[in-house]
Amino acid sequence: MEALRQDDPRRFGRFTALARFHEGASAVRYVARDAATGEVVLVTAARPQLAAVPVFSRRFRAEARTAERLAGGWVSPPVDLGEEPEAPADGPEPLWTAAAYVPALPLAEAVAIAGPLPERALRILGAGIAEILSRVHASGSVLQGLAPGTVLLAADGPRLTAFGPLGAAASAEVGPGGQLSVRLGYLTPEQIEGKEVSAASDLFVLGLLLAYAATGTTPFTEGPAEEAARRIAEDEPELDAVPDPLRELIASCLAKDPAERPAAGTVAAELALEGAAGLARGGWLPERLAAAVTDQEARVLALEPPEDDTEPEAGSTEAAEAGAGAAEAEAAESGPEETPEPEDARPQDSRTDGARPEDPRAVPEPQDARTAPEPEDARPLPVPPADASQTSASPAGAPPADASPVNAPASQAPTAAPASASVSDGDIGEDRGTTRFLNTGPRPPQSDRPTTQLALPHELTAPPGAALVPAAHPMPPALPAAPGTPQQPQPQPHQQPSHTQGGPAPYPAAALPAGPAGPGGPGGGPMVSLPLPPAPAPAPDPGASRRTLLTIAAAAVGGLVVGGGSVAALGSGDTAAATDDKPAPKPRRTLPGQAPEPRWIYAHPASESSPLTTAVWRDKLLVVTSESQASAVDLRTGKRLWQRADGAKGQAALAAGDDLVFVASPTEFLWLSPKNGKVVHRVRYTEAFSDLPGLTVGRLAGSSGPVIWFTGSHTVTVKAPKPKKGKKKEKDKEVVQAHFFAYDIVQRKELWRTAVPAGRSPGTPAYRVVAERSADVLVRQDAVSLTAAEVKAAKGKGSVRSFDQKTGKLLWTKKYGAASLEAATTGDEDGALYAAVGKDLQAFEADTTKPLWRVEGSDGSWFGTPLIAGPLIHTTERSRLVGAVERESGRLVWRRSTEVPGIGNAPSLTLSSSEKTLIAADAIQVTVFSAADGERLWKFQDIGSADPKGATVSAPYRALTFGETVVVQRDRSFYAFPVA
């Protein structure tokens, strides 16, 4: 942070500039304050010379809209996007955005202060950035916004401040005719080879960034600077100084082949399984950096606007004059050695040859850098010999009148400038280390092999004072002026400034490769491609009907799961805003890959025990049971309505008609009022099942309409038989008897019961209804409740029982292929059963066990419980793959990864009420897909509301749907998200 300079704007709309925060190639960031509210913000203001270029203006605003869509988490929400500029009357229109100020240090400055980051800080840094990338990549887009100056380290985690190539630019340059060239600081092997960037390109740059944070330098620094591009493309990275646990992951991000790099979600989970926010609880910055952040916050809060501030608006003619007094006063107080001298106050170089003073910090360009062939549209015009008078008569930068046409033979070389004159950046042909935003021209440019052009709409407007020169006729290099002739100034690129006191450190040595762009390429490094992805096509609606059976997901603790993120403009149905001359429409508020804004958030009180079960009642209430009570939350507002101690340890609530909430507690059935939780009816097991004294009711097996199915057991005493004469009487035996029940919760009466084998101690078997048909219900027993004798008799194969719907009579017991005791199984009303067999999913005729079809799974994995939805079956695997197959044929429709790494429990699945959206929930995250085609819509990871010093939340996610909403739960936190 440094004092304002005399030419800095003093006002940005309602905000008053207080200090410079960071200077980039395309923009300067200022600390500013709203005088009315006291709100402190960071204003990002484009450089006036660049803001005057229409294509830059559109691109700048597109990246601002991207930041708005990504807002939340590790992206500070925009406060003001600035007003849309009108045609400037007397100068360039100011171009700026404002975001909430968060005390933070740029990564480069942090490394300069405290050296390489420790492992835990590296994990949090990498996981936070990877979480942002995962949201971006979910839309098929690429960010290209990572650099040491765009990543900030705040007290609670990292922040990203650039959302496209402009924000991350290491240099930005306006050439003749309004051409804009942007150079990124970090490049990838595919960019060097002239290939298009992809999501994997962001992962390579993330690897470079993490290696820099871990070592203080980039992993490709050994060797001449002019060979930096070759080293990135060919050499293996130097990672010896990277902490051992992170070396392999960073090396995989730096793989030459993009296909071998991990996905962003994988990197995020491997670095911080509980999420970056979870790992950062209790503080994450080294002591020196934490102190620096605290000190920065104190200095910002103490900032006051200059006393002589006349508050001119940004871009006005009074802006420079208004700040002169403040800058001089600041310089007088700080001393000449502490405050950088304003650039406009520095003495001009005394040379008259037009060359810029050599910057000792700049990476030298090899002398042979421009000897390789260039594309025709990038070659300078041949310049005939000219005497001094001719040269002095032409303004610098303008081609001589008799200059040869652009298609002149290649043998006609331009006249070389003397060694003392440097070629101006941007006044001649294309530099392959830049991306050109092309202006109008008589013919389209021709791309050479190692470059990828981004052709944007042709502009008829040049920046003020620039000559309108066709892009296809680049200007020749400036010739030396005649003795005594004043030299016209040459256009200069805006480059990343050097390190200033209190400001960010410069890029590491190899961050700006100036070597060839591939074999024989010109200096400046390889060109950066900026792909503009098309808008995603809308997904078709699946024609599916909901089945009548509602399998109960109520269970004991941890057992309930109810079913279970560019360059220019990122997704959301937008194409790149920079390609449209019309004003951009108001952006949508969500970004593919980013969870939408929750309709409400509910935090279960910390003073109460954690939730055991959760259920939706009539699309009106969220009923939560815990060890101490049952409570209800209004699904419209997320506010708690009531709590009732009688419902303690209850199973998941059900609808008993239209006006009662049914809860099964350990000792009784309860019917509660949905308005206030008052107990309306109560049926104790000792009363309802008086002939079964001491009945223990097990987990509900399933429900359909008003009917519930459950198991129960009780202990009876079997008297020993009368002994034979002369024999001793044996002892009476305690025997567990078990039954399978059907019960109507509306009529409050038992429908039937059937004796079944008792389960493992304490004796109640755990049943689960896998299918309801017109004549019977199909039931499967959980393997954990089988007795040792049953396990031995099963010989590793699971079975399914059929019970008559009306009488409860056991009809048959069958086994299906090699389906194991633990195999996930479900069925449909049409008589088909679907079971995991080995690593595959197989369909059978339920009544005959005849195999119908098989879907092959991934190696080392197996399928979880599938979900039936009309003509489709949605599948889930332990390898974190989710998909859909045709129910009739088993043909694979789609299969996608949740991008959670490794093997774990298969994600639990649930569908939205419309069956258009599929939600997959596991212990790591919730991933939302389009049910019809598998498009990944968004992901969600809960950072919770726990005390920063409290225990890390490790509970799995749960998902419940109603109407156009999905309620995502993780332990005590509930989020209501809109879904289709």
Side-chain angles (χ1 to χ4, degrees), residues 386-460:
D387 57 28
S389 60
Q390 290 173 322
T391 305
S392 61
S394 301
D402 58 349
S404 301
V406 73
N407 58 355
S411 60
Q412 296 179 354
T415 302
S420 60
S422 66
V423 179
S424 171
D425 294 307
D427 64 345
I428 61 170
E430 174 179 287
D431 178 349
R432 297 188 196 186
T434 65
T435 297
R436 287 181 57 210
F437 294 74
L438 299 174
N439 200 346
T440 52
R443 61 184 179 85
Q446 301 178 11
S447 298
D448 59 334
R449 294 183 63 86
T451 64
T452 303
Q453 302 276 2
L454 170 62
L456 296 178
H458 299 316
E459 297 294 337
L460 298 177

Side-chain angles (χ1 to χ4, degrees), residues 629-686:
Q629 63 188 10
S631 57
V633 176
D634 190 334
L635 286 175
R636 297 171 303 168
T637 63
K639 296 182 178 180
R640 179 186 274 195
L641 299 178
W642 50 260
Q643 56 264 10
R644 177 65 56 178
D646 301 76
K649 301 181 181 179
Q651 300 191 47
L654 297 171
D658 295 331
D659 55 357
L660 291 175
V661 178
F662 173 82
V663 175
S665 82
T667 60
E668 59 189 349
F669 290 150
L670 299 171
W671 287 262
L672 309 178
S673 166
K675 295 182 179 179
N676 53 24
K678 181 181 178 181
V679 177
V680 179
H681 303 290
R682 187 193 308 266
V683 174
R684 292 183 172 88
Y685 303 148
T686 55

